[in-house]
Amino acid sequence: MPTLILVRHGRSTANTAGVLAGRAPGVALDERGAAQSAALPARLAQVPLTAVVSSPLQRCRETMGPLLDARPWLTLHIEDRINECDYGDWSGRKLAELSDEPLMEVVQRHPSAAAFPGGESLRAMQARAVDAVRDWNARIEEAHGPEATYAMCAHGDIIKALVADALGMHLDLFQRISVEPCSVTAIRYTRLRPYLVRLGDTGDFGSLAPREDGGSAAAYRDAAVGGGAGAA
């Protein structure tokens, strides 16, 4: 079965503003995010892609723009089932403000029980994303063979949920996974099991260095809902 290259969208204006964007329209890549997406074609230059799939949101489509420009023979396929989690009434609110919500502790400790007011549950989010990948795996294999590779651009929580599924992890453990903006995660699917062969690879290990303000440790105290802004 095919190999899936999961790309989290580049850093967005909402990431830098500390806002949980959700599905709000008009959230674009910021300057750093645009630079991250511009570097993506070179990072994937040796990977033969048969298709490019994206969440419908602007920040994902912008992230895939340079890659598609570099490979004009590829078409962008929009997949609604890998859209950002529907955070409902939480959408557009500051993450710092949401940290005081009682539901946030559930999101952190028991995410399989978390359902956002006016939105969807994390369980429903994972189920639709996993269904989308299974369907695309079958579609790519039928069209291009079992050794084919394709790219899919999505969101932090979506990618973490797909990684948890690939590893056979309960959703309650998915907050232990971290994927930075424009990071590359690769999952090779086989008849017996998926293999996680890359996780959150940015090609930059600067985020592992201690920060003078102590922020690197604080950043991992709670998992960033929506995925976080990545290294400064």
Side-chain angles (χ1 to χ4, degrees):
M1 295 179 71
T3 296
L4 169 61
I5 305 295
L6 284 164
V7 180
R8 186 184 166 201
H9 62 78
R11 196 174 75 175
S12 73
T13 52
N15 292 146
T16 46
V19 169
L20 186 62
R23 299 179 178 182
V27 177
L29 299 182
D30 68 5
E31 185 176 351
R32 180 177 175 83
Q36 289 170 331
S37 67
L40 192 59
R43 292 171 60 201
L44 296 178
Q46 298 183 58
V47 182
L49 298 175
T50 57
V52 176
V53 184
S54 175
S55 156
L57 295 186
Q58 178 181 343
R59 53 194 181 273
C60 287
R61 290 185 283 106
E62 288 180 349
T63 298
M64 291 290 97
L67 183 62
L68 291 166
D69 289 342
R71 306 189 193 199
W73 58 90
L74 292 175
T75 300
L76 183 65
H77 302 274
I78 300 301
E79 174 55 74
D80 289 335
R81 291 175 295 177
I82 59 167
N83 200 348
E84 177 66 285
C85 183
D86 184 355
Y87 297 116
D89 297 344
W90 278 27
S91 301
R93 294 177 61 186
K94 288 279 189 180
L95 287 165
E97 168 190 317
L98 290 169
S99 65
D100 294 329
E101 293 279 354
L103 178 60
M104 182 59 84
E105 185 174 5
V106 181
V107 172
Q108 295 294 328
R109 296 180 180 272
H110 189 23
S112 66
F116 297 97
E120 70 178 333
S121 69
L122 287 171
R123 285 185 295 107
M125 177 202 74
Q126 183 186 44
R128 62 175 167 82
V130 168
D131 283 348
V133 167
R134 297 293 189 272
D135 289 347
W136 274 99
N137 283 349
R139 179 174 174 178
I140 294 297
E141 182 175 9
E142 181 179 3
H144 302 285
E147 301 302 317
T149 301
Y150 69 107
M152 180 176 281
C153 187
H155 307 270
D157 282 348
I158 290 284
I159 294 173
K160 288 162 57 177
L162 289 170
V163 169
D165 172 75
L167 292 176
M169 291 170 52
H170 197 284
L171 184 62
D172 284 346
L173 302 178
F174 99 130
Q175 298 292 26
R176 302 183 183 197
I177 300 165
S178 177
V179 289
E180 292 203 358
C182 222
S183 63
V184 172
T185 294
I187 303 172
R188 181 169 293 129
Y189 289 88
T190 75
R191 297 297 178 191
L192 295 180
R193 65 184 64 85
Y195 291 89
L196 180 66
V197 293
R198 292 287 188 280
L199 175 61
D201 189 341
T202 63
D204 175 9
F205 294 96
S207 62
L208 300 180
R211 282 167 43 182
E212 292 182 2
D213 61 2
S216 57
Y220 289 95
R221 183 167 54 242
D222 287 328
V225 180

